[in-house]
Amino acid sequence: MGCDYIALATNGVQNLHPYLPGKPAEELERELGLKNVVKLASNENPLGPSEKALSTVNNHLSGLSLYPDSGGYRLKQALASEYGFSPEQVTLGNGSNDVLELIARAYLNPGDEVIYSEYAFVVYSLVTQATGAKAVVTPAKEWGHDLQQMLAEISDKTRIIFIANPNNPTGTWLSEPELTSFLDQVPENILVVLDEAYTEYVMDEAFPNGLDKLADYPNLIVTRTFSKAFGLAGLRVGYAVSNEDVANVLSRVRQPFNVNNLALVAAESVLSDKDYLARSVEINSSGMRFYEEGFKKLGLEFIPSVGNFITVDMKQDAMPVYDAMLHQGVIVRPVANYGMPQHLRISIGLPEENERCLRALARVVENFE
Ligand SMILES: *Cc1c(COP(=O)(O)O)cnc(C)c1O
């Protein structure tokens, strides 16, 4: 080729590193000839999909030849009545990642500034860089977001601040007073994107509900997903809730049919499946306790997490540990791409999966000593 097609890409895209997904179980089975691989690498719901969502999907298969409802009328109505906002405030996405990208595309010009924390969800940097905007990354405080630092970095050029509560991959969280005091200090013309992908798992009384803040802070955008506690990661549905003007702007850059037929009906269905949600949360809390105790016994430090994953410190390069666990048929997630080369993130699985994972980890740790 006489032409450098990489150099032809926009400046922002030239410097992008594609998102690194967790290793698929099938791939490891193929590569190492293993069976019964356990994947605890992508924060997926270990229960599998809700029965209700499954039967709804089955009943709608014959609609595959039709375009989806572009406006997502029924799902927006269901969300609005479940959580108490108006359907006009909702922007549906092909996963909440889609919505994060819509926000960046609609609101960022090259040279604008975007603030997010060290160790924050990696999609914030991807969507920021792709637009040619400048990332302003603030140092973490005890692995979490340092809101004072974030406020201190606000300039005339700041357009968006991304906050994950709780954050992935650290599992750290911000309390109600911390969040409110922060929102009070952010100028109205700067959008605050509060990513609540794991909110359903958090039980602490002091944990804020971003949706309750929308009326007081018109610059707030709350994003949520059906990928985690609702168990529909493969169908891709997420959404943003914002003021109606922001929703109007986002709808201008959205692909007309960005959420597919089956995703729309499955999401609506699982939203009413309270029993499934309760079981998801329950199995997560007991799994979390299992890992915390297990790590303590192994003498491993971990970052206390309120998500559906826990990140553990190997006190050495984590890649050999990751590899050794792969050879035992257990896939966890290295987080070196987050600047955490000594940590591994483990998604909470079913009890038997957690046991296999901890046993594999224990074996590796014993061999290192
Ligand atoms: C998993 C995750 C999401 C959700 O991604 P989807 O595109 O909705 O599957 C969003 N934010 C964070 C921090 C996540 O960890």
Side-chain angles (χ1 to χ4, degrees), residues 52-53 56-60 74-75 232 235 259-271:
K52 258 183 118 169
T56 304
V57 163
N58 263 319
N59 293 338
H60 283 80
R74 287 182 57 104
L75 179 55
L232 295 177
L235 276 179
V259 186
N260 70 72
N261 286 334
L262 299 181
L264 287 171
V265 294
E268 185 189 343
S269 168
V270 74
L271 193 61

Side-chain angles (χ1 to χ4, degrees), residues 19 42-43 94-100 120-124 164-169 195-198 223-228 232-233 236-239 309 338 345:
Y19 181 81
S42 301
N43 301 345
N94 185 28
S96 57
N97 277 293
D98 187 26
V99 175
L100 296 172
F121 186 44
V122 73
V123 168
Y124 312 150
N165 200 31
N167 182 50
N168 169 21
D195 178 345
E196 296 191 331
Y198 301 95
T223 65
R224 292 197 175 180
T225 182
F226 284 92
S227 297
K228 309 285 161 52
L232 295 177
R236 317 299 303 123
V237 210
Y239 59 99
F309 55 86
Y338 281 91
R345 192 193 70 193

Side-chain angles (χ1 to χ4, degrees), residues 99-331:
V99 175
L100 296 172
E101 202 213 333
L102 297 181
I103 297 166
R105 240 183 337 130
Y107 280 99
L108 295 177
N109 283 302
D112 288 345
E113 292 181 359
V114 176
I115 301 174
Y116 53 82
S117 173
E118 183 183 22
Y119 312 131
F121 186 44
V122 73
V123 168
Y124 312 150
S125 76
L126 288 176
V127 300
T128 299
Q129 280 188 53
T131 65
K134 180 171 173 251
V136 176
V137 184
T138 56
K141 190 167 93 185
E142 293 165 43
W143 302 106
H145 293 21
D146 185 338
L147 296 180
Q148 292 315 312
Q149 291 270 2
M150 296 178 96
L151 287 170
E153 289 294 344
I154 288 177
S155 81
D156 297 346
K157 291 187 175 157
T158 310
R159 292 287 170 274
I160 298 178
I161 303 176
F162 284 108
I163 289 182
N165 200 31
N167 182 50
N168 169 21
T170 56
T172 49
W173 60 285
L174 300 163
S175 70
E176 160 86 34
E178 288 173 302
L179 180 69
T180 307
S181 145
F182 171 79
L183 290 171
D184 282 337
Q185 295 172 74
V186 178
E188 229 179 26
N189 64 328
I190 298 174
L191 296 171
V192 176
V193 179
L194 184 64
D195 178 345
E196 296 191 331
Y198 301 95
T199 192
E200 296 84 6
Y201 291 109
V202 191
M203 295 297 125
D204 200 296
E205 293 268 302
F207 187 77
N209 179 347
L211 299 177
D212 294 344
K213 306 276 169 215
L214 287 164
D216 291 336
Y217 303 98
N219 57 332
L220 178 64
I221 306 178
V222 176
T223 65
R224 292 197 175 180
T225 182
F226 284 92
S227 297
K228 309 285 161 52
F230 289 107
L232 295 177
L235 276 179
R236 317 299 303 123
V237 210
Y239 59 99
V241 193
S242 64
N243 80 54
E244 293 185 18
D245 288 346
V246 169
N248 173 324
V249 165
L250 298 182
S251 72
R252 299 177 191 192
V253 286
R254 184 177 70 84
Q255 285 183 33
F257 305 107
N258 64 333
V259 186
N260 70 72
N261 286 334
L262 299 181
L264 287 171
V265 294
E268 185 189 343
S269 168
V270 74
L271 193 61
S272 66
D273 193 346
K274 303 292 175 213
D275 181 54
Y276 177 81
L277 185 61
R279 278 186 294 128
S280 301
V281 171
E282 168 52 35
I283 200 149
N284 190 64
S285 332
S286 55
M288 186 68 82
R289 283 195 301 274
F290 172 81
Y291 280 109
E292 288 171 350
E293 285 160 22
F295 293 154
K296 280 179 196 154
K297 277 187 205 142
L298 291 173
L300 295 172
E301 267 176 41
F302 56 89
I303 307 173
S305 167
V306 294
N308 67 349
F309 55 86
I310 183 163
T311 298
V312 59
D313 189 352
M314 302 312 303
K315 303 278 182 198
Q316 62 155 66
D317 180 7
M319 280 317 274
V321 182
Y322 168 71
D323 279 326
M325 290 178 77
L326 286 183
H327 280 85
Q328 298 180 63
V330 178
I331 310 174

